[in-house]
Amino acid sequence: MTAHYQVRDAVAVITLDNPPVNGLGHRTRVGIVECMTRAFDDSSVEAIVLTGSGRAFSGGADIREFGTPKALQEPSLHTVIETIEASGKPVVAAMHGVAMGGGLELALGCHYRIAAKDTQIALPEVNLGLLPGAGGTQRLPRVIGLEAALNMIVSGKTVLAGKLADARLFDELVDGDVLEAATGFACRAARASASHPKVRDLAVRHESAEAYLGFARTTVAASAGPFPAPLQCVKAVAASLKPFDEGLREERRRFMELLGTSEARALRHAFLGERAASRIPDVPADIAARNIAKVAIIGAGTMGGGIAMTFLNAGIPVTVLETKADALERGVATIRRNYENTAKKGKLSQGAVETRMGLLTTTLSYNDIKDADLVIEAVFEDFSVKETVFRTLDEVMKPGAILASNTSTLDVNRIASFTRRPQDVVGLHFFSPANVMKLLEVVRGETTSHDVLATVMQLAKKIGKVAVVSGVCDGFIGNRMVEQYSRQAGFLLDEGALPEQVDRAIEKFGFAMGPFRMIDMAGNDIAWAIRKRRAVEQPEFNYSKTGDLLCEMGRLGQKAGAGWYDYKPGDRKAYPSAVVNDMIVRHSGELGITRRKISDAEIVERLIDALVNEGALILEEGIASKASDIDMVYLNGYGFPKFRGGPMLYADQVGLFNVAQAMRRYAKGYQGHAWRIARSLEQLASDGKGFND
Ligand code: T1G
């Protein structure tokens, strides 16, 4: 059972017990109703206290049930709350840890609420593409006011209970034992009165509600982008001005409308996928992690500096090692400048800047980093340089130190072979700017030990990264997929499209930036070098030649003032380039291709299907262990639109039968041999399944 019942001094204590956060899944809801009924029937019970075991009162509805019949199976959360509210005996919520979503709604259905001051309070449903669907939009305005409730619900932000002391939400806020305080309060309430307050009976007051709500609707509609939930939240909260039952019905209707949206499914997928990524199938969840108290970073360049900031932000001391003093000075100056700029924007106090800088030390000597628990090299992407670094680290670092490479494509197994401790070697592929981008690809070598993997996955959460484990292959997960995406973008130019059309089409689909604007920003010479390497290693792996022609024209991108687009000094805007477009059209002629008008739909389909197909191959080869890992990579490192959930979830929603059909069509077209359709994708399509089933 996931709700326990115990009577102490005429008080029935009902304890939610559904680890890890007392999610209000169906079994828990049944348990609460059964315990409540038992308390009603027990004449020795004068009052009831509802509390949560472990670290939370309740984290809300059980997100894992959404999309299954259990989510709405009776007793629904509404039924549970009505049962509590209708109780003749006073029901007191004893709240600690987390009271979020349905967990807070459950407490709002109680007659009284006693909370520890540091309890995290939130109605974060909007982050899941939903709205509070068990009375939260109707009850919260009645206890903290219309505006405060609307702000909390539309933002989904967490507030500490102690900050809400002036509101009618809590009857007592305690520092000590909240269960003891609640039990005493319950006894007194039972003896003080035969009737007990219901939040639903309170009125919502606001001197100019319509004007305020009109402003809120306009503001939220303008900023919600592709997500329907924020505006629905405003409308549901507005209904709290109506009679309670009428407002509750409206909330329910709007909640059910959102529950079935693709945006809600995408956001749920992102929430659960981020957390599932930290679970590595063959690594036991309870394996002991190594302690990481000190970190060393080799290289104070853009990546090394960004990585250093990531650890400093988490309060972890960092020593940065360089070969030359001026490189160190430049690196430290850049770190300080970044923090100062953040402080100027009011996002960081000057004190915090100094605290973080105080955790940073520098050195020119390997001897100064030998006691670090983790060392990350962020040096030039070249095997000979990596070999020198890792052979030195192998000599210098204490036993048990984790030796990590920030390589973005090189073979981590080969890097590990430069040491006598390959089990301690792992890839930690950060994305630039490393102190901003959430994605961290953890590249496991054949010999990387389980406890090293467990350690870096835990550390990733501490430094605010979404970590995804990748096996060793060229480009790991993200860069390997983006290569196929870029390849299709080039073929589209050969066939009739121009860079600005391709970028515009995929940006309309939701990407932050199309492939040509993106490579102009990253530098066209990077892709050029990869193509040259590929031409030697895999001559059959062909590309559109337009990328090479562009580089031969010296158009290396924004840094050269010209790339696929023209740029003006001091202006980052990308202007379509007549010179480049002429080159593209001329090149099609040289290929003997009659250029054709290509629809935006075809552009999007070919770019996305190229990602999906490579993702399927990555799964087949075991480079990624689950489709949601691939989605987490693309959502957190490559600007895939969050409201679509990632390439693999999007393909599921298109239907793999349709995806496979399109790929077969493209496989017959120009450069069709680029479409080596993944066997697993064909199989899933014919079985009528999806990657995320
Ligand atoms: N349901 C199921 N599992 C949950 C969960 C939930 N609500 N919340 C957390 N978990 C799991 C999570 O997947 C992970 O599992 C573990 O708990 C630790 O989470 C009707 C419809 C509570 C602040 O949106 O914000 O109520 O990977 O790593 O950093 O109106 O989890 O270990 O197996 O995040 O300490 C509304 C979402 C639901 C709260 C804890 N509630 N959760 O943070 O740990 S919809 C939420 C969080 C709803 C009603 C509506 C956080 C946390 P695993 P974690 P954490």
Side-chain angles (χ1 to χ4, degrees):
M1 185 51 73
T2 53
H4 303 298
Y5 182 89
Q6 187 186 22
V7 179
R8 267 189 301 187
D9 307 328
V11 175
V13 177
I14 298 172
T15 305
L16 306 184
D17 183 13
N18 181 21
V21 293
N22 298 325
L24 298 168
H26 179 253
R27 286 179 66 236
T28 304
R29 302 196 299 269
V30 169
I32 298 171
V33 171
E34 287 178 349
C35 290
M36 289 298 296
T37 308
R38 198 169 155 189
F40 298 156
D41 298 344
D42 184 339
S43 57
S44 71
V45 169
E46 296 173 6
I48 300 160
V49 168
L50 195 56
T51 188
S53 66
R55 61 184 193 160
F57 174 74
S58 169
D62 192 325
I63 300 170
R64 291 164 294 196
E65 278 189 352
F66 289 138
T68 75
K70 280 192 173 179
L72 301 172
Q73 195 173 340
E74 288 295 345
S76 68
L77 197 46
H78 273 282
T79 303
V80 174
I81 292 170
E82 282 160 11
T83 305
I84 290 169
E85 208 167 43
S87 164
K89 300 177 181 178
V91 183
V92 181
M95 304 159 77
H96 76 292
V98 168
M100 288 188 177
L104 180 57
E105 291 173 304
L106 186 66
L108 285 167
C110 295
H111 302 113
Y112 307 96
R113 281 156 297 282
I114 313 295
K117 286 177 183 168
D118 63 352
T119 307
Q120 295 180 66
I121 305 291
L123 287 179
E125 288 85 343
V126 70
N127 298 329
L128 296 169
L130 301 172
L131 55 79
T137 64
Q138 307 303 304
R139 290 189 175 89
L140 192 63
R142 284 172 163 76
V143 288
I144 69 169
L146 185 68
E147 293 195 24
L150 191 108
N151 289 336
M152 271 188 75
I153 291 168
V154 170
S155 69
K157 283 205 177 357
T158 298
V159 177
L160 292 184
K163 298 279 186 204
L164 295 166
D166 300 339
R168 304 170 62 164
L169 177 53
F170 299 111
D171 298 277
E172 269 184 25
L173 285 163
V174 300
D175 289 316
D177 182 330
V178 70
L179 181 55
E180 188 180 336
T183 307
F185 188 98
C187 288
R188 293 192 298 276
R191 290 168 193 152
S193 164
S195 66
H196 304 286
K198 295 176 184 176
V199 171
R200 57 171 292 140
D201 295 336
L202 299 174
V204 180
R205 292 188 215 302
H206 192 285
E207 64 279 1
S208 55
E210 278 321 306
Y212 168 70
L213 290 166
F215 171 74
R217 267 191 285 270
T218 310
T219 314
V220 169
S223 60
F227 293 102
L231 188 55
Q232 289 281 34
C233 285
V234 175
K235 293 176 178 176
V237 169
S240 67
L241 292 161
K242 299 174 180 172
F244 185 84
D245 289 326
E246 187 183 337
L248 203 62
R249 281 193 297 275
E250 181 169 338
E251 172 197 271
R252 187 83 187 141
R253 175 172 59 77
R254 293 182 184 283
F255 173 79
M256 293 308 291
E257 281 171 22
L258 288 173
L259 192 59
T261 60
S262 60
E263 292 83 4
R265 183 170 179 207
L267 291 174
R268 206 160 56 234
H269 180 67
F271 176 87
L272 293 173
E274 276 185 28
R275 290 152 179 84
S278 60
R279 290 194 292 274
I280 307 168
D282 62 330
V283 175
D286 58 356
I287 197 165
R290 299 184 194 180
N291 179 42
I292 304 294
K294 283 193 293 187
V295 171
I297 292 167
I298 318 285
T302 306
M303 286 310 291
I307 296 169
M309 290 178 72
T310 301
F311 288 96
L312 297 173
N313 296 347
I316 298 172
V318 173
T319 300
V320 175
L321 180 145
E322 257 293 356
T323 51
K324 295 194 184 65
D326 61 339
L328 263 187
E329 280 157 31
R330 278 198 306 275
V332 171
T334 303
I335 291 171
R336 173 171 284 281
R337 188 168 58 250
N338 288 341
Y339 281 138
E340 299 287 2
N341 289 342
T342 307
K344 280 190 199 116
K345 293 174 196 161
K347 293 180 182 171
L348 196 63
S349 71
Q350 197 51 42
V353 172
E354 296 316 323
T355 302
R356 293 178 191 189
M357 292 307 291
L359 290 171
L360 176 63
T361 51
T362 61
T363 182
L364 297 173
S365 159
Y366 274 91
N367 195 46
D368 291 344
I369 64 167
K370 64 181 184 301
D371 293 331
D373 305 296
L374 163 69
V375 56
I376 304 170
E377 62 78 14
V379 300
F380 187 60
E381 192 75 345
D382 171 276
F383 266 122
S384 59
V385 177
K386 306 276 188 200
E387 180 169 359
T388 306
V389 168
F390 273 84
R391 290 195 187 287
T392 310
L393 292 175
D394 195 29
E395 289 301 324
V396 170
M397 300 307 294
K398 71 178 181 184
I402 295 176
L403 316 182
S405 169
N406 174 56
T407 181
S408 56
T409 57
L410 299 180
D411 183 340
V412 171
N413 293 321
R414 190 169 160 202
I415 291 173
S417 71
F418 299 147
T419 74
R420 287 158 298 179
R421 43 175 136 177
Q423 73 283 356
D424 294 337
V425 177
V426 68
L428 291 181
H429 178 208
F430 289 84
F431 286 74
S432 186
N435 53 307
V436 173
M437 294 297 283
K438 285 193 70 174
L439 179 62
L440 174 64
E441 279 185 325
V442 173
V443 186
R444 69 182 292 181
E446 286 151 8
T447 51
T448 303
S449 69
H450 283 175
D451 72 315
V452 164
L453 288 169
T455 304
V456 296
M457 294 310 277
Q458 272 185 28
L459 186 63
K461 184 166 180 178
K462 188 173 180 184
I463 60 176
K465 297 297 180 189
V466 174
V468 177
V469 174
S470 170
V472 174
C473 72
D474 194 339
F476 310 139
I477 296 171
N479 283 345
R480 172 169 162 180
M481 288 169 68
V482 82
E483 197 170 4
Q484 292 301 333
Y485 169 88
S486 308
R487 202 176 171 204
Q488 282 303 316
F491 293 150
L492 284 160
L493 299 185
D494 290 349
E495 296 174 59
L498 291 173
E500 55 270 27
Q501 183 199 0
V502 173
D503 284 350
R504 201 173 41 245
I506 201 72
E507 288 163 13
K508 216 164 81 186
F509 173 81
F511 270 77
M513 196 178 282
F516 296 108
R517 283 206 309 137
M518 183 176 73
I519 197 71
D520 261 2
M521 199 167 76
N524 293 307
D525 44 340
I526 295 172
W528 197 18
I530 292 173
R531 288 195 298 272
K532 285 176 182 169
R533 176 164 59 84
R534 183 84 67 202
V536 172
E537 292 167 0
Q538 286 174 281
E540 78 287 357
F541 198 105
N542 65 330
Y543 296 84
S544 163
K545 289 283 174 283
T546 49
D548 301 350
L549 294 172
L550 187 80
C551 293
E552 286 157 16
M553 293 159 74
R555 299 179 70 98
L556 303 184
Q558 275 188 17
K559 63 187 176 187
W564 290 104
Y565 294 91
D566 292 337
Y567 297 91
K568 294 172 184 163
D571 176 358
R572 298 174 67 84
K573 190 170 171 359
Y575 297 90
S577 163
V579 168
V580 170
N581 291 351
D582 287 349
M583 174 271 282
I584 292 167
V585 171
R586 194 169 51 252
H587 180 65
S588 299
E590 288 157 6
L591 291 172
I593 292 173
T594 306
R595 291 177 67 82
R596 63 186 174 87
K597 183 162 175 31
I598 298 177
S599 69
D600 286 2
E602 178 180 341
I603 290 171
V604 170
E605 191 170 59
R606 279 171 64 174
L607 294 182
I608 301 300
D609 287 0
L611 293 177
V612 172
N613 195 48
E614 200 61 25
L617 292 169
I618 284 170
L619 284 169
E620 281 177 22
E621 296 166 26
I623 296 295
S625 63
K626 44 190 175 300
S628 61
D629 280 0
I630 292 173
D631 285 336
M632 293 314 109
V633 165
Y634 246 75
L635 287 174
N636 292 287
Y638 291 82
F640 196 92
K642 193 160 187 181
F643 72 97
R644 296 187 189 274
M648 311 310 272
L649 183 77
Y650 176 72
D652 287 349
Q653 293 183 317
V654 168
L656 295 190
F657 176 85
N658 300 321
V659 169
Q661 281 288 88
M663 288 183 186
R664 287 189 205 96
R665 196 169 59 248
Y666 294 128
K668 292 181 189 141
Y670 173 70
Q671 306 287 4
H673 49 74
W675 291 99
R676 178 166 59 94
I677 304 175
R679 192 181 25 78
S680 56
L681 194 154
E682 298 259 35
Q683 188 59 53
L684 285 169
S686 65
D687 296 347
K689 288 183 182 159
F691 290 111
N692 288 285
D693 287 356

